[in-house]
Amino acid sequence: MQASIVVTTANAHRFDPAARSRATAFVVALLVLWPLLVWSQFHPALLFETRNLAAIAQFLGGFLPPDMSVEFLRHVMRSTIETVAIATAGMSLAFLIAVPLTVANTRALSIARIGPGPGWRMSRVLHVISRGLLVSLRGMPELVWALVFVRALGLGPAAGVLALAITYGGMLAKVYAEILESADTEAARVLLQAGSGRTLALVYGLLPVAASEIVSYTVYRWECALRASVVMGFVGAGGLGQLMDQSMKMMNGAEAATILVVFLLLVLVADAVSAALRRGLA
Amino acid sequence: MGFQLGNVVLTYPNGQRALSRITLGAGRGERVAVIGPSGAGKTSLLRLLGAALRPDDGSIEVLGQGPWRLSARALRRLRSRIGVVYQKPPLPGRQRAITAILAGRLGSWPWWKAIGSLVYPADIAGAEAQLARLDLADRLFERCDRLSGGQLQRVGVARVLYQQPDLILADEPVSAMDPTLSNLTLGQLVDDATARSATLIASLHAVDLALRWFPRIVGLKAGEVVFDLPPVRITEALLRDLYAAETSVPPTQAPEPLALPARGPRNVAACKPQ
């Protein structure tokens, strides 16, 4: 028995003890991913067959040149404002939903974990419940919520705002909680140990450490909300999406191209805002 | 009203024993220095007293209350009466010194005052007064990541001075300071504790500082109390025995910048006439 222990420790010094588990993980990943590619009918060679290339070229050719007529641009302008409004209003509501859920959810602010102290079991139960709530909020795609709300509220932006608020609220809370947990939580723990409450430990101890991560994720989500609002527009939730849906249905590629250019500009703006905010918080 | 430990046992998650059967107490307004080689359990002892760690066995009473028998609300109130000075104060780099100091009263301020203080500092004069005691008033609005290790330690001390706790636990509070600042800082902690009849427990690596500022010295070694004496009764032999294991510590461990244990006995002689 003792001899075998000696041998193992000697081996552990000669070989990297982590090598075997790493190799196993690599092989397992390959074994899982390969069948997934097969099932998803992924045949990249098809893309380059002349027949298919011609079809793509014909489709994209219809997009050029973009439609720059004043009348259409006026439509685009109005829809752009609507899209930005949907995304921003949806994100603001999502943020309001996410903040209390984050404070309730993140382990970085758990007072009962110190010790562990009184109410430890209760806090575990609440943690599981709030995690479940987050999953149910973000589990359903926003498109489905949009369909539901379009039925309830009729065609228009309000349905998109509500759909975004619900799914993005769940996503924001989950990722915020995880950003806070992976930040340096020492400063917040020390405050909790000096009798501070969760929210105050968050704003005095955790936000100063994690603010730039939080901001960059929030702005990125706003960018995603812009894209999502377009997709929801296709089911009647207003904005650029609804306009694009009309253009596509009328096979008007030029109009679609204009809308895509506007889209690119919006994403560029989001990127610039994010960079500026992060610089300010550095 | 200080604290009372009875037969306290503390085991690390890895099974290693941090403190074994410690019985130790201090009354209100008492000042105790805890000395001993690294790994003796000094930090664990302080974290236990700060209600940050729960003992595996034995009884603990802090400021007249058993922390682990309290409700969540009462435990929070008890913790707000305990101030901890950390060797490496965990302060967010982006936070300014004033915010870090005012955070000392988060446990006692109403929440609206604490939130409002982030918009405009609620008590600039109060924070400045504490920082001035430590000769650092000019750094009041400096960000913590622009401060040196010793300055950061003084901000940590200022936070606890501002907190005005009934029990002050200082874990190597002056390890990054030169002798002059070390004495200034310890002097201010002692003054504050004396003025408010607060209990002060400090772990110190520098034996000369312990002997100079504290009327009671506890020697901790391998999780056990080996002596508990006034400075005049600390002998060279006691100290040599206390730090006997330190020589076998691998040299990779960073040495403390202040008074090495070997210098302890000489400082004893220097201190005796006091």
Side-chain angles (χ1 to χ4, degrees), chain B residues 83-159:
Chain B
V84 184
V85 181
Y86 295 87
Q87 183 178 11
K88 290 197 179 114
L91 304 174
R94 292 188 53 243
Q95 196 161 63
R96 294 181 301 168
I98 180 162
T99 317
I101 294 167
L102 294 180
R105 294 224 184 132
L106 286 186
S108 49
W109 275 357
W111 66 267
W112 48 266
K113 186 172 181 185
I115 298 284
S117 180
L118 287 175
V119 181
Y120 191 85
D123 185 9
I124 296 179
E128 186 172 24
Q130 301 305 339
L131 214 47
R133 295 172 75 166
L134 304 167
D135 200 19
L136 202 64
D138 55 327
R139 296 308 184 98
L140 186 63
F141 292 104
E142 197 79 68
R143 274 169 56 150
C144 285
D145 55 7
R146 307 244 163 87
L147 300 176
S148 72
Q151 290 171 333
L152 211 55
Q153 278 190 335
R154 280 183 282 163
V155 171
V157 172
R159 173 193 272 193

Side-chain angles (χ1 to χ4, degrees), chain B residues 34-46 172 203-205 220:
Chain B
V34 182
I35 61 172
S38 32
K42 303 190 291 286
T43 300
S44 300
L45 179 65
L46 292 180
E172 307 263 1
S203 80
L204 289 166
H205 209 85
L220 205 62

Side-chain angles (χ1 to χ4, degrees), chain A residues 43-101:
Chain A
H43 303 299
L46 279 181
L47 255 177
F48 298 101
E49 276 178 22
T50 37
R51 196 160 43 99
N52 295 338
L53 278 178
I56 292 171
Q58 198 191 345
F59 179 69
L60 289 181
F63 279 55
L64 292 172
D67 185 344
M68 298 301 247
S69 69
V70 177
E71 199 205 346
F72 182 67
L73 282 183
R74 201 173 294 141
H75 273 303
V76 169
M77 179 66 99
R78 198 176 322 118
S79 294
T80 306
I81 293 172
E82 200 168 271
T83 290
V84 171
I86 293 173
T88 311
M91 272 300 284
S92 309
L93 279 181
F95 188 78
L96 291 183
I97 293 174
V99 168
L101 283 172

Side-chain angles (χ1 to χ4, degrees), chain A residues 111-119 184-201 203-212 280-282, chain B residues 47 50-54 67-68 70-72 75-76 79-82 86 90-92 94-95 99 102-104 106-107 109-111 113-115 117-118 143 159 163:
Chain A
I111 299 176
R113 271 163 70 91
I114 301 171
D184 186 357
T185 58
E186 197 66 6
R189 200 177 49 79
V190 161
L191 290 174
L192 294 175
Q193 269 172 39
S196 141
R198 290 172 79 96
T199 315
L200 293 183
V203 291
Y204 273 83
L206 263 181
L207 280 190
V209 183
S212 74
L281 287 170
Chain B
R47 295 195 65 198
L53 286 178
R54 180 186 264 221
W68 306 109
L70 295 175
S71 69
L75 179 58
R76 257 185 70 184
R79 280 176 174 151
S80 71
R81 294 170 59 204
I82 304 172
Y86 295 87
L91 304 174
R94 292 188 53 243
Q95 196 161 63
T99 317
L102 294 180
L106 286 186
W109 275 357
W111 66 267
K113 186 172 181 185
I115 298 284
S117 180
L118 287 175
R143 274 169 56 150
R159 173 193 272 193
Q163 184 185 349

Side-chain angles (χ1 to χ4, degrees), chain B residues 188-207:
Chain B
Q188 290 299 330
L189 275 173
V190 166
D191 279 357
D192 179 65
T194 315
R196 296 186 301 105
S197 302
T199 310
L200 171 63
I201 319 292
S203 80
L204 289 166
H205 209 85
V207 179

Side-chain angles (χ1 to χ4, degrees), chain B residues 150-186:
Chain B
Q151 290 171 333
L152 211 55
Q153 278 190 335
R154 280 183 282 163
V155 171
V157 172
R159 173 193 272 193
V160 169
L161 291 177
Y162 186 71
Q163 184 185 349
Q164 303 209 306
D166 296 322
L167 173 63
I168 303 176
L169 304 169
D171 188 6
E172 307 263 1
V174 295
S175 61
M177 298 182 206
D178 65 33
T180 317
L181 280 175
S182 298
N183 278 309
L184 171 72
T185 305
L186 280 177

Side-chain angles (χ1 to χ4, degrees), chain A residues 157-171:
Chain A
V161 169
L162 277 180
L164 277 179
I166 288 179
T167 38
Y168 279 46
M171 283 185 223

